[in-house]
Amino acid sequence: MASPPPPPKLPIPGRRNILITSALPYVNNVPHLGNIIGCVLSADVFARYCRLRGYNAIYICGTDEYGTATETKALEEKCSPKEICDKYHVIHDEVYKWFDIKFDKFGRTSAPEQTEVCQAIFHKLMENKWLTENTMQQLYCDTCERFLADRLVEGKCPTEGCNYEAARGDQCENCSKLLNPTELIDPKCKVCKNAPRIRDTDHLFLELPLLSDKLVNYINNTSVAGMWSQNAIQATNAWLKEGLKQRCITRDLKWGVPVPHEKYKDKVFYVWFDAPIGYISITASYTPDWEKWWKDPDNVELFQFMGKDNVPFHTVMFPSTLLGTGENWTMMKTISVTEYLNYEAGKFSKSHGIGVFGNDAKTTNIPSEVWRYYLLMNRPEVSDTLFTWADLQAKLNSELLNNLGNFINRVLSFVAKPAGGYDSIIPDAPNAESHPSTNALAEKTNKWVEQYLEAMEKVKLKQGLKSAMAISSDGNAYLQESQFWRLYKEDPATCAIVMKTSVGVVYLLACLLEPFMPSFSREVLHQLNMSPDEDLSFCDDKGETAKAKRPWDFVSAGHKIGKPVPLFKELKDEQVEAFRIKFAGSQAERILKEQADAEAKKVAEKLKGTKLSEGSSKKKQSGGSKSKTAEEVSVAKLDIRVGLIRKAEKHPDADSLYIEEIDVGEEAPRTVVSGLVKFIPLEEMQNRKVCVLCNLKPVAMRGIKSHAMVLAASNKDHTKVELVEPPESAAVGERVTFAGFSGEPEASLNAKSKTWEKLSADLHSNGELVACYKDVPFTTSAGVCKVKTIANGEIR
């Protein structure tokens, strides 16, 4: 029977009470690694650090569920906004659990508490006359018969020097400029793709200019006291410099918190008015005494984590909203902002499916602690950083495996040795402080701990992690210089000092690295035969860290450790290359490829153990029935014809696909989709003869149905791919025949192939050409080559 959850934590007088929030992730998609390091993971590290220091801290987060983004996703998936929220909230929750994120509450902005708190704040703003009514011009789609919210409009960014073609109505993803939909050049409705028109509509506005004195006073005081990151200060000052403008807080939508006003009862609150209020409402769903956290600024410190594009809403909009109520709110003290984490050669993008996503990371079998370490060591605190598979490999193999893992395993394995070691019992080491190199290590370790604490208190997480890892490097050097394996025989007393001190450093590393790699720390404590719940602390009861000056005292003499095992596994070159290929392109393209591979596997399974024949010349098996494994497959089934590509263009929704209109001698050309963009230039696809496999079952590829397949050949490593060409004299629609069967099934094409002629040298050096239909061997002038489908399909 599961134990009941612990009671909600409340602020404790006399203690340091810290309220931590992470920007609420949109519920309309799976979070990618950039989202995870940008807010949720960073906040988790700080929350774990606070708990480790004995601070009374809670970590609040949840999914942001209202607004246009959800409505848009619901339209895409042909379901209701609530169904989208239910589906993706679970996905987010599972991703964060796998990444070892420890929330005190992970809630939802569609919960009843959100409506209650949001409407209460609205009434206060109305009472205090900080809201005004105004008529604004908004885009209206006559086709859809609705006003278009920001994210239902796309067009060209009006910002000079940007000109991004797919800017959203609220913000340009390319230059991060906040926009109004009417500012877009050549706007289009995302639903029907038609051009909308401008219409008047009444809305409520928050009067930011009237609140500016209160806001500027708050910013000036708090940005210094709270040590705001420089990028947060710059983004905030940019808004103030432009001059504060009244900000619309209502939208013509159905999915959101209803506006409790008779005139505006058919509208909802703008998501960036109600989303930050989600921090409060999720706390209210955590404890009915939520006001003890949110209305006690003298005893509670609020730390907020987010990506740089969210800054103005947390330093201008949300504080102005709270100040306008006239109530004694706990205002943000410290804001920690990250720049962008880019992926290989471009940006992570949820909307375009580019990069590694939270659910992808799990499929790699690389442990979550490694992902956490890499993301945090690569955290974009000051400028954009880049995720590359090669860098992940280097950090895992060099820093985690060879430095940290090597140090811990060497120490614990030696202690555990029954002969030539200590049989798992920690030795006594009196007068350790008098040993020169041990004392020097203790001094270095203490300095690194001081730097670690300073960095973590300032939310410089990357520097904190580097300081902790430096202790491991020093520990390795200490072991090597001591030559403990010799000391065991030549100077047992000194060897005991070295090993007891080293075990203490192992324990200290488990403590310091717990905020960054909690599963790693749990495993180290398990190998030390200690409890993570009871034994994880490098501070005394008052939170002091003087113990770090005496690492030999962390683990008592006579304590019996557990069984040491390696903590990390090497990531090999071939794995890295496989991941790079697997996660290339967009998520949608990867799903398509997985589906095609799965279908090809099915075809291959069907062909296992089958025989090729010229047709029906073979006799049936005895008993008059065929077994499935001996089913005869005729090469003559392949309807391959000479075709002429009349027109070729790139697929609008897939970077790697062409769409061709091919004449194969029928009344109308066939539409064919081919994955040849990376290999053959578009101009070389126009008006040329090709060999076409015509009796494939049609298959939809990114929304376009392909009714045949163009034959192409490649060398063994698929670095060269060319079209299989018939002779110039071949007539369009002429069938490619098969001949030459004798003994082993062989066939010859009567069509010449420039590809096979050009690549014949590859065949003579054990190269393998692949044309089009899997596992049916054809003989050409250049030799035997296997044939497989490029597209996903089956013979009819």
Side-chain angles (χ1 to χ4, degrees):
M1 185 174 176
S3 57
K9 287 184 277 188
L10 295 174
I12 300 171
R15 291 274 298 278
R16 190 174 178 194
N17 301 296
I18 298 180
L19 173 58
I20 300 162
T21 70
S22 158
L24 307 182
Y26 269 134
V27 78
N28 68 324
N29 218 321
V30 181
H32 57 61
L33 298 185
N35 305 135
I36 290 167
I37 185 58
C39 49
V40 174
L41 176 55
S42 295
D44 180 66
V45 172
F46 186 68
R48 287 177 177 276
Y49 165 76
C50 290
R51 297 182 195 116
L52 189 65
R53 292 298 311 276
Y55 304 152
N56 184 41
I58 62 169
Y59 177 17
I60 299 295
C61 190
T63 41
D64 180 4
E65 304 195 355
Y66 285 139
T68 319
T70 306
E71 284 200 0
T72 305
K73 192 69 174 180
L75 286 169
E76 287 177 15
E77 297 198 10
K78 297 180 174 57
C79 62
S80 70
K82 185 181 185 305
E83 288 171 326
I84 283 289
C85 293
D86 291 343
K87 171 185 173 180
Y88 281 98
H89 177 81
V90 172
I91 292 172
H92 276 260
D93 192 36
E94 289 173 349
V95 166
Y96 301 140
K97 281 177 180 173
W98 187 81
F99 271 92
D100 234 339
I101 308 296
K102 188 178 180 181
F103 304 107
D104 287 275
K105 179 66 179 180
F106 185 70
R108 308 175 64 170
T109 60
S110 60
E113 290 86 356
Q114 176 74 357
T115 299
E116 183 181 335
V117 176
C118 197
Q119 291 183 346
I121 288 174
F122 166 77
H123 285 306
K124 283 289 183 182
L125 292 172
M126 285 291 285
E127 287 173 19
N128 295 337
K129 298 183 171 30
W130 297 117
L131 299 179
T132 56
E133 299 180 65
N134 212 334
T135 301
M136 64 184 291
Q137 292 186 320
Q138 196 170 336
L139 295 177
Y140 184 87
C141 179
D142 288 305
T143 306
C144 298
E145 297 183 327
R146 63 185 293 183
F147 282 101
L148 297 180
D150 303 348
R151 290 187 175 225
L152 287 178
V153 187
E154 278 189 355
K156 190 174 181 180
C157 178
T159 307
E160 187 176 349
C162 179
N163 299 321
Y164 182 55
E165 295 286 348
R168 298 194 311 252
D170 61 342
Q171 190 172 28
C172 176
E173 190 179 36
N174 186 53
C175 70
S176 298
K177 177 78 173 177
L178 295 173
L179 301 170
N180 287 313
T182 52
E183 296 176 310
L184 292 174
I185 300 168
D186 191 24
K188 293 285 190 295
C189 170
K190 279 193 71 174
V191 178
C192 68
K193 308 302 180 186
N194 291 321
R197 64 185 176 91
I198 294 176
R199 250 181 69 172
D200 288 346
T201 178
D202 292 337
H203 282 287
L204 288 164
F205 290 75
L206 179 63
E207 288 292 343
L208 290 179
L210 300 180
L211 285 160
S212 62
D213 289 345
K214 293 176 182 290
L215 177 66
V216 170
N217 183 57
Y218 158 75
I219 291 171
N220 289 341
N221 292 331
T222 310
S223 61
V224 176
M227 297 179 288
W228 287 12
S229 55
Q230 196 58 39
N231 45 12
I233 293 171
Q234 289 170 350
T236 304
N237 287 341
W239 262 52
L240 296 178
K241 188 176 180 180
E242 284 184 12
L244 295 176
K245 302 176 180 64
Q246 59 174 205
R247 193 79 181 177
C248 184
I249 67 165
T250 53
R251 282 293 183 268
D252 289 293
L253 293 173
K254 299 297 181 188
W255 181 245
V257 175
V259 179
H261 189 291
E262 183 61 30
K263 183 177 177 181
Y264 299 98
K265 62 184 179 182
D266 292 331
K267 301 181 191 287
V268 300
F269 286 115
Y270 175 36
V271 68
W272 270 113
F273 174 77
D274 88 283
I277 295 172
Y279 302 130
I280 303 170
S281 72
I282 292 170
T283 311
S285 67
Y286 169 65
T287 171
D289 294 320
W290 61 270
E291 291 188 352
K292 292 183 179 179
W293 283 106
W294 279 99
K295 292 186 178 181
D296 190 2
D298 294 331
N299 293 307
V300 176
E301 302 169 59
L302 174 58
F303 285 72
Q304 298 197 287
F305 290 78
M306 68 205 66
K308 65 180 178 182
D309 50 347
N310 286 338
V311 170
F313 302 104
H314 289 79
T315 61
V316 177
M317 286 285 290
F318 187 39
S320 296
T321 300
L322 297 182
L323 289 168
T325 66
E327 296 179 302
N328 193 30
W329 290 98
T330 299
M331 306 285 285
M332 177 181 63
K333 175 188 174 185
T334 299
I335 181 171
S336 180
V337 177
T338 55
E339 302 290 314
Y340 292 134
L341 174 69
N342 294 321
Y343 179 70
E344 292 283 344
K347 283 186 175 182
F348 276 94
S349 172
K350 278 198 297 185
S351 57
H352 298 113
I354 304 297
V356 180
F357 287 70
N359 50 355
D360 294 330
K362 188 176 181 179
T363 67
T364 64
N365 291 321
I366 298 171
S368 62
E369 64 207 39
V370 175
W371 285 107
R372 285 178 65 112
Y373 177 84
Y374 177 76
L375 292 172
L376 290 158
M377 194 58 88
N378 214 21
R379 186 174 186 250
E381 293 181 349
V382 178
S383 59
D384 292 356
T385 57
L386 184 66
F387 171 96
T388 68
W389 287 102
D391 189 35
L392 173 65
Q393 179 190 29
K395 283 185 167 56
L396 169 52
N397 293 349
S398 298
E399 298 172 18
L400 292 179
L401 179 63
N402 294 337
N403 175 9
L404 180 65
N406 178 60
F407 170 68
I408 293 172
N409 195 251
R410 287 177 79 190
V411 172
L412 299 187
S413 294
F414 189 79
V415 172
K417 285 171 67 175
Y422 296 95
D423 199 16
S424 300
I425 305 299
I426 304 298
D428 196 7
N431 303 317
E433 63 272 17
S434 63
H435 184 247
S437 62
T438 298
N439 196 48
L441 175 69
E443 289 180 4
K444 285 182 186 177
T445 299
N446 185 57
K447 285 181 180 177
W448 285 124
V449 170
E450 288 176 353
Q451 290 184 29
Y452 170 91
L453 294 172
E454 182 182 3
M456 297 300 284
E457 291 293 333
K458 293 180 179 178
V459 203
K460 303 294 184 185
L461 307 183
K462 188 193 297 187
Q463 187 53 51
L465 179 54
K466 287 181 177 179
S467 297
M469 290 298 290
I471 294 173
S472 177
S473 299
D474 287 344
N476 269 314
Y478 171 70
L479 277 184
Q480 203 61 29
E481 289 166 11
S482 71
Q483 297 190 8
F484 61 93
W485 59 93
R486 288 186 179 177
L487 289 177
Y488 184 80
K489 294 179 180 178
E490 298 171 4
D491 189 351
T494 301
C495 187
I497 290 173
V498 170
M499 298 318 296
K500 191 170 190 289
T501 301
S502 297
V503 170
V505 172
V506 167
Y507 171 83
L508 179 61
L509 284 168
C511 294
L512 297 175
L513 292 172
E514 192 277 341
F516 302 94
M517 298 186 289
S519 59
F520 156 83
S521 293
R522 287 194 295 271
E523 176 57 27
V524 172
L525 288 176
H526 176 71
Q527 293 185 28
L528 285 170
N529 193 24
M530 292 179 164
S531 166
D533 298 326
E534 298 172 10
D535 297 317
L536 190 67
S537 176
F538 62 100
C539 311
D540 60 23
D541 293 340
K542 296 180 181 178
E544 299 296 328
T545 60
K547 287 199 292 186
K549 295 178 182 178
R550 299 174 60 85
W552 49 84
D553 284 343
F554 275 122
V555 183
S556 302
H559 175 79
K560 186 173 183 177
I561 68 168
K563 182 182 178 181
V565 294
L567 292 160
F568 301 102
K569 288 175 64 176
E570 180 184 10
L571 187 59
K572 297 182 178 178
D573 291 344
E574 55 267 28
Q575 292 174 284
V576 169
E577 187 56 31
F579 290 140
R580 189 181 286 114
I581 293 169
K582 179 178 179 179
F583 295 107
S586 70
Q587 269 194 320
E589 289 170 329
R590 298 201 293 261
I591 291 169
L592 182 68
K593 182 179 181 299
E594 286 171 7
Q595 290 171 344
D597 289 346
E599 193 64 32
K601 190 175 180 181
K602 285 182 186 176
V603 173
E605 289 297 323
K606 287 180 183 178
L607 290 170
K608 274 185 180 177
T610 64
K611 298 177 181 178
L612 291 172
S613 73
E614 282 186 275
S616 57
S617 59
K618 301 282 184 181
K619 292 183 178 180
K620 292 183 179 180
Q621 291 181 332
S622 60
S625 63
K626 291 182 180 179
S627 72
K628 289 183 179 179
T629 57
E631 184 181 354
E632 294 182 351
V633 178
S634 173
V635 171
K637 275 188 171 184
L638 304 184
D639 178 11
I640 301 176
R641 303 181 207 168
V642 175
L644 177 66
I645 300 177
R646 298 288 186 188
K647 177 186 175 184
E649 60 186 5
K650 287 190 175 180
H651 196 300
D653 295 320
D655 294 338
S656 62
L657 301 178
Y658 284 131
I659 302 173
E660 304 106 24
E661 296 295 328
I662 304 179
D663 183 356
V664 291
E666 299 171 335
E667 288 185 11
R670 292 198 185 196
T671 300
V672 180
V673 182
S674 305
L676 296 169
V677 171
K678 295 178 182 178
F679 305 104
I680 302 174
L682 183 60
E683 57 270 19
E684 293 182 18
M685 293 289 292
Q686 309 290 347
N687 298 309
R688 67 184 290 176
K689 287 182 179 178
V690 289
C691 292
V692 184
L693 181 58
C694 293
N695 59 333
L696 281 176
K697 181 180 178 180
V699 61
M701 301 181 74
R702 295 301 295 274
I704 306 292
K705 189 164 281 190
S706 182
H707 294 272
M709 186 183 65
V710 177
L711 301 194
S714 79
N715 58 350
K716 187 171 183 179
D717 61 4
H718 309 296
T719 57
K720 297 178 183 178
V721 175
E722 297 183 28
L723 292 172
V724 177
E725 292 186 326
E728 284 297 323
S729 59
V732 171
E734 180 183 349
R735 288 202 170 198
V736 178
T737 59
F738 300 89
F741 283 92
S742 61
E744 290 298 316
E746 294 179 343
S748 297
L749 291 177
N750 68 354
K752 294 288 185 183
S753 166
K754 290 182 180 178
T755 300
W756 288 328
E757 290 169 2
K758 287 178 183 177
L759 299 180
S760 60
D762 290 334
L763 283 173
H764 294 305
S765 59
N766 296 321
E768 179 183 59
L769 297 180
V770 182
C772 267
Y773 190 72
K774 192 174 177 87
D775 288 337
V776 183
F778 286 11
T779 301
T780 71
S781 57
V784 175
C785 69
K786 288 187 179 178
V787 181
K788 75 173 186 181
T789 52
I790 290 174
N792 170 20
E794 59 184 69
I795 297 296
R796 295 184 299 173

mmCIF file of all heavy atoms in Angstrom, residues 428-442 478 493-494 496-498 500-501 549-553:
data_model
loop_
_atom_site.group_PDB
_atom_site.id
_atom_site.type_symbol
_atom_site.label_atom_id
_atom_site.label_comp_id
_atom_site.label_asym_id
_atom_site.label_seq_id
_atom_site.Cartn_x
_atom_site.Cartn_y
_atom_site.Cartn_z
ATOM 1 N N ASP A 428 40.285 3.033 10.132
ATOM 2 C CA ASP A 428 40.482 4.189 11.015
ATOM 3 C C ASP A 428 41.682 4.975 10.504
ATOM 4 O O ASP A 428 42.610 4.409 9.924
ATOM 5 C CB ASP A 428 40.714 3.727 12.450
ATOM 6 C CG ASP A 428 40.535 4.861 13.441
ATOM 7 O OD1 ASP A 428 40.097 5.954 13.013
ATOM 8 O OD2 ASP A 428 40.833 4.661 14.642
ATOM 9 N N ALA A 429 41.657 6.300 10.678
ATOM 10 C CA ALA A 429 42.752 7.134 10.168
ATOM 11 C C ALA A 429 43.019 8.279 11.128
ATOM 12 O O ALA A 429 42.698 9.438 10.858
ATOM 13 C CB ALA A 429 42.402 7.660 8.779
ATOM 14 N N PRO A 430 43.613 7.982 12.296
ATOM 15 C CA PRO A 430 43.916 9.053 13.252
ATOM 16 C C PRO A 430 44.970 10.006 12.699
ATOM 17 O O PRO A 430 45.813 9.623 11.894
ATOM 18 C CB PRO A 430 44.442 8.287 14.474
ATOM 19 C CG PRO A 430 44.927 6.982 13.930
ATOM 20 C CD PRO A 430 44.035 6.658 12.770
ATOM 21 N N ASN A 431 44.859 11.269 13.094
ATOM 22 C CA ASN A 431 45.840 12.300 12.715
ATOM 23 C C ASN A 431 45.907 12.537 11.208
ATOM 24 O O ASN A 431 46.970 12.834 10.652
ATOM 25 C CB ASN A 431 47.240 11.936 13.241
ATOM 26 C CG ASN A 431 47.249 11.742 14.746
ATOM 27 O OD1 ASN A 431 46.642 12.538 15.487
ATOM 28 N ND2 ASN A 431 47.883 10.678 15.219
ATOM 29 N N ALA A 432 44.764 12.413 10.542
ATOM 30 C CA ALA A 432 44.755 12.617 9.089
ATOM 31 C C ALA A 432 45.173 14.034 8.724
ATOM 32 O O ALA A 432 45.839 14.261 7.706
ATOM 33 C CB ALA A 432 43.361 12.323 8.542
ATOM 34 N N GLU A 433 44.802 15.005 9.570
ATOM 35 C CA GLU A 433 45.127 16.402 9.248
ATOM 36 C C GLU A 433 46.625 16.682 9.248
ATOM 37 O O GLU A 433 47.076 17.700 8.700
ATOM 38 C CB GLU A 433 44.420 17.354 10.219
ATOM 39 C CG GLU A 433 44.837 17.215 11.671
ATOM 40 C CD GLU A 433 44.030 16.172 12.418
ATOM 41 O OE1 GLU A 433 43.380 15.333 11.773
ATOM 42 O OE2 GLU A 433 44.051 16.201 13.663
ATOM 43 N N SER A 434 47.382 15.800 9.852
ATOM 44 C CA SER A 434 48.839 16.006 9.899
ATOM 45 C C SER A 434 49.553 15.464 8.663
ATOM 46 O O SER A 434 50.741 15.670 8.476
ATOM 47 C CB SER A 434 49.429 15.342 11.154
ATOM 48 O OG SER A 434 49.226 13.934 11.109
ATOM 49 N N HIS A 435 48.809 14.769 7.819
ATOM 50 C CA HIS A 435 49.402 14.228 6.589
ATOM 51 C C HIS A 435 49.403 15.332 5.526
ATOM 52 O O HIS A 435 48.334 15.823 5.134
ATOM 53 C CB HIS A 435 48.608 13.013 6.111
ATOM 54 C CG HIS A 435 49.193 12.347 4.907
ATOM 55 N ND1 HIS A 435 48.563 12.333 3.689
ATOM 56 C CD2 HIS A 435 50.368 11.693 4.724
ATOM 57 C CE1 HIS A 435 49.301 11.691 2.806
ATOM 58 N NE2 HIS A 435 50.411 11.292 3.417
ATOM 59 N N PRO A 436 50.562 15.764 5.017
ATOM 60 C CA PRO A 436 50.658 16.968 4.166
ATOM 61 C C PRO A 436 49.758 16.947 2.937
ATOM 62 O O PRO A 436 48.988 17.893 2.710
ATOM 63 C CB PRO A 436 52.142 16.992 3.768
ATOM 64 C CG PRO A 436 52.834 16.260 4.866
ATOM 65 C CD PRO A 436 51.889 15.187 5.309
ATOM 66 N N SER A 437 49.824 15.902 2.130
ATOM 67 C CA SER A 437 49.035 15.912 0.892
ATOM 68 C C SER A 437 47.540 15.804 1.185
ATOM 69 O O SER A 437 46.701 16.356 0.461
ATOM 70 C CB SER A 437 49.478 14.773 -0.034
ATOM 71 O OG SER A 437 49.263 13.514 0.571
ATOM 72 N N THR A 438 47.198 15.113 2.274
ATOM 73 C CA THR A 438 45.786 15.010 2.659
ATOM 74 C C THR A 438 45.268 16.360 3.133
ATOM 75 O O THR A 438 44.153 16.781 2.782
ATOM 76 C CB THR A 438 45.620 13.953 3.769
ATOM 77 O OG1 THR A 438 46.035 12.689 3.264
ATOM 78 C CG2 THR A 438 44.170 13.862 4.235
ATOM 79 N N ASN A 439 46.068 17.045 3.909
ATOM 80 C CA ASN A 439 45.689 18.374 4.384
ATOM 81 C C ASN A 439 45.555 19.349 3.213
ATOM 82 O O ASN A 439 44.643 20.189 3.182
ATOM 83 C CB ASN A 439 46.711 18.880 5.390
ATOM 84 C CG ASN A 439 46.174 20.056 6.195
ATOM 85 O OD1 ASN A 439 45.059 20.016 6.706
ATOM 86 N ND2 ASN A 439 46.961 21.124 6.279
ATOM 87 N N ALA A 440 46.455 19.220 2.228
ATOM 88 C CA ALA A 440 46.393 20.081 1.038
ATOM 89 C C ALA A 440 45.115 19.809 0.250
ATOM 90 O O ALA A 440 44.459 20.742 -0.246
ATOM 91 C CB ALA A 440 47.623 19.842 0.159
ATOM 92 N N LEU A 441 44.757 18.538 0.140
ATOM 93 C CA LEU A 441 43.511 18.192 -0.549
ATOM 94 C C LEU A 441 42.316 18.786 0.181
ATOM 95 O O LEU A 441 41.394 19.319 -0.446
ATOM 96 C CB LEU A 441 43.363 16.672 -0.644
ATOM 97 C CG LEU A 441 42.025 16.192 -1.234
ATOM 98 C CD1 LEU A 441 41.939 16.523 -2.713
ATOM 99 C CD2 LEU A 441 41.841 14.682 -1.013
ATOM 100 N N ALA A 442 42.325 18.717 1.531
ATOM 101 C CA ALA A 442 41.217 19.251 2.321
ATOM 102 C C ALA A 442 41.058 20.758 2.098
ATOM 103 O O ALA A 442 39.937 21.263 1.975
ATOM 104 C CB ALA A 442 41.430 18.946 3.797
ATOM 105 N N TYR A 478 45.084 13.260 -6.259
ATOM 106 C CA TYR A 478 45.484 12.852 -4.908
ATOM 107 C C TYR A 478 45.735 11.345 -4.846
ATOM 108 O O TYR A 478 46.748 10.875 -4.299
ATOM 109 C CB TYR A 478 44.376 13.263 -3.940
ATOM 110 C CG TYR A 478 44.493 12.755 -2.519
ATOM 111 C CD1 TYR A 478 45.479 13.231 -1.653
ATOM 112 C CD2 TYR A 478 43.566 11.826 -2.025
ATOM 113 C CE1 TYR A 478 45.552 12.778 -0.337
ATOM 114 C CE2 TYR A 478 43.630 11.372 -0.720
ATOM 115 C CZ TYR A 478 44.623 11.849 0.130
ATOM 116 O OH TYR A 478 44.689 11.405 1.428
ATOM 117 N N ALA A 493 49.416 2.747 7.606
ATOM 118 C CA ALA A 493 48.761 3.855 8.324
ATOM 119 C C ALA A 493 48.435 5.004 7.372
ATOM 120 O O ALA A 493 47.329 5.572 7.412
ATOM 121 C CB ALA A 493 49.655 4.346 9.456
ATOM 122 N N THR A 494 49.392 5.345 6.508
ATOM 123 C CA THR A 494 49.156 6.419 5.544
ATOM 124 C C THR A 494 48.112 6.002 4.513
ATOM 125 O O THR A 494 47.270 6.799 4.098
ATOM 126 C CB THR A 494 50.475 6.810 4.843
ATOM 127 O OG1 THR A 494 51.414 7.240 5.827
ATOM 128 C CG2 THR A 494 50.248 7.926 3.838
ATOM 129 N N ALA A 496 45.628 4.071 5.019
ATOM 130 C CA ALA A 496 44.312 4.196 5.670
ATOM 131 C C ALA A 496 43.824 5.642 5.639
ATOM 132 O O ALA A 496 42.635 5.907 5.405
ATOM 133 C CB ALA A 496 44.408 3.695 7.109
ATOM 134 N N ILE A 497 44.752 6.589 5.855
ATOM 135 C CA ILE A 497 44.384 8.015 5.789
ATOM 136 C C ILE A 497 43.896 8.370 4.382
ATOM 137 O O ILE A 497 42.860 9.017 4.202
ATOM 138 C CB ILE A 497 45.585 8.896 6.186
ATOM 139 C CG1 ILE A 497 45.886 8.760 7.684
ATOM 140 C CG2 ILE A 497 45.326 10.362 5.826
ATOM 141 C CD1 ILE A 497 47.158 9.465 8.120
ATOM 142 N N VAL A 498 44.667 7.932 3.376
ATOM 143 C CA VAL A 498 44.319 8.247 1.980
ATOM 144 C C VAL A 498 42.954 7.678 1.618
ATOM 145 O O VAL A 498 42.109 8.346 1.011
ATOM 146 C CB VAL A 498 45.413 7.720 1.020
ATOM 147 C CG1 VAL A 498 44.944 7.818 -0.438
ATOM 148 C CG2 VAL A 498 46.713 8.489 1.218
ATOM 149 N N LYS A 500 40.424 6.573 3.655
ATOM 150 C CA LYS A 500 39.309 7.124 4.435
ATOM 151 C C LYS A 500 38.962 8.541 3.955
ATOM 152 O O LYS A 500 37.792 8.906 3.854
ATOM 153 C CB LYS A 500 39.650 7.141 5.928
ATOM 154 C CG LYS A 500 38.444 7.456 6.837
ATOM 155 C CD LYS A 500 38.793 7.221 8.289
ATOM 156 C CE LYS A 500 37.539 7.295 9.175
ATOM 157 N NZ LYS A 500 37.008 8.638 9.326
ATOM 158 N N THR A 501 39.999 9.305 3.644
ATOM 159 C CA THR A 501 39.776 10.653 3.107
ATOM 160 C C THR A 501 39.095 10.583 1.747
ATOM 161 O O THR A 501 38.152 11.326 1.473
ATOM 162 C CB THR A 501 41.118 11.413 2.979
ATOM 163 O OG1 THR A 501 41.728 11.502 4.268
ATOM 164 C CG2 THR A 501 40.902 12.804 2.407
ATOM 165 N N LYS A 549 35.929 20.827 5.448
ATOM 166 C CA LYS A 549 37.360 21.011 5.701
ATOM 167 C C LYS A 549 38.006 19.730 6.227
ATOM 168 O O LYS A 549 39.230 19.623 6.278
ATOM 169 C CB LYS A 549 37.559 22.131 6.722
ATOM 170 C CG LYS A 549 37.109 23.502 6.238
ATOM 171 C CD LYS A 549 37.295 24.557 7.325
ATOM 172 C CE LYS A 549 36.807 25.926 6.847
ATOM 173 N NZ LYS A 549 36.936 26.964 7.911
ATOM 174 N N ARG A 550 37.178 18.777 6.621
ATOM 175 C CA ARG A 550 37.693 17.522 7.177
ATOM 176 C C ARG A 550 37.017 16.335 6.484
ATOM 177 O O ARG A 550 36.180 15.633 7.071
ATOM 178 C CB ARG A 550 37.434 17.465 8.683
ATOM 179 C CG ARG A 550 38.108 18.585 9.477
ATOM 180 C CD ARG A 550 37.695 18.561 10.958
ATOM 181 N NE ARG A 550 38.049 17.307 11.597
ATOM 182 C CZ ARG A 550 39.243 17.038 12.124
ATOM 183 N NH1 ARG A 550 40.209 17.949 12.064
ATOM 184 N NH2 ARG A 550 39.485 15.870 12.705
ATOM 185 N N PRO A 551 37.329 16.113 5.206
ATOM 186 C CA PRO A 551 36.629 15.058 4.458
ATOM 187 C C PRO A 551 36.807 13.669 5.049
ATOM 188 O O PRO A 551 35.964 12.792 4.837
ATOM 189 C CB PRO A 551 37.247 15.152 3.055
ATOM 190 C CG PRO A 551 38.538 15.879 3.238
ATOM 191 C CD PRO A 551 38.322 16.816 4.377
ATOM 192 N N TRP A 552 37.895 13.445 5.799
ATOM 193 C CA TRP A 552 38.115 12.127 6.404
ATOM 194 C C TRP A 552 37.101 11.805 7.498
ATOM 195 O O TRP A 552 37.003 10.661 7.944
ATOM 196 C CB TRP A 552 39.543 12.033 6.966
ATOM 197 C CG TRP A 552 39.926 13.218 7.825
ATOM 198 C CD1 TRP A 552 39.649 13.393 9.141
ATOM 199 C CD2 TRP A 552 40.619 14.384 7.403
ATOM 200 N NE1 TRP A 552 40.122 14.605 9.587
ATOM 201 C CE2 TRP A 552 40.745 15.236 8.527
ATOM 202 C CE3 TRP A 552 41.171 14.809 6.189
ATOM 203 C CZ2 TRP A 552 41.387 16.470 8.477
ATOM 204 C CZ3 TRP A 552 41.815 16.033 6.141
ATOM 205 C CH2 TRP A 552 41.913 16.850 7.274
ATOM 206 N N ASP A 553 36.327 12.816 7.940
ATOM 207 C CA ASP A 553 35.351 12.601 9.003
ATOM 208 C C ASP A 553 33.942 12.311 8.488
ATOM 209 O O ASP A 553 33.035 12.047 9.276
ATOM 210 C CB ASP A 553 35.291 13.826 9.925
ATOM 211 C CG ASP A 553 36.485 13.896 10.858
ATOM 212 O OD1 ASP A 553 37.163 12.861 11.026
ATOM 213 O OD2 ASP A 553 36.751 14.990 11.397
#
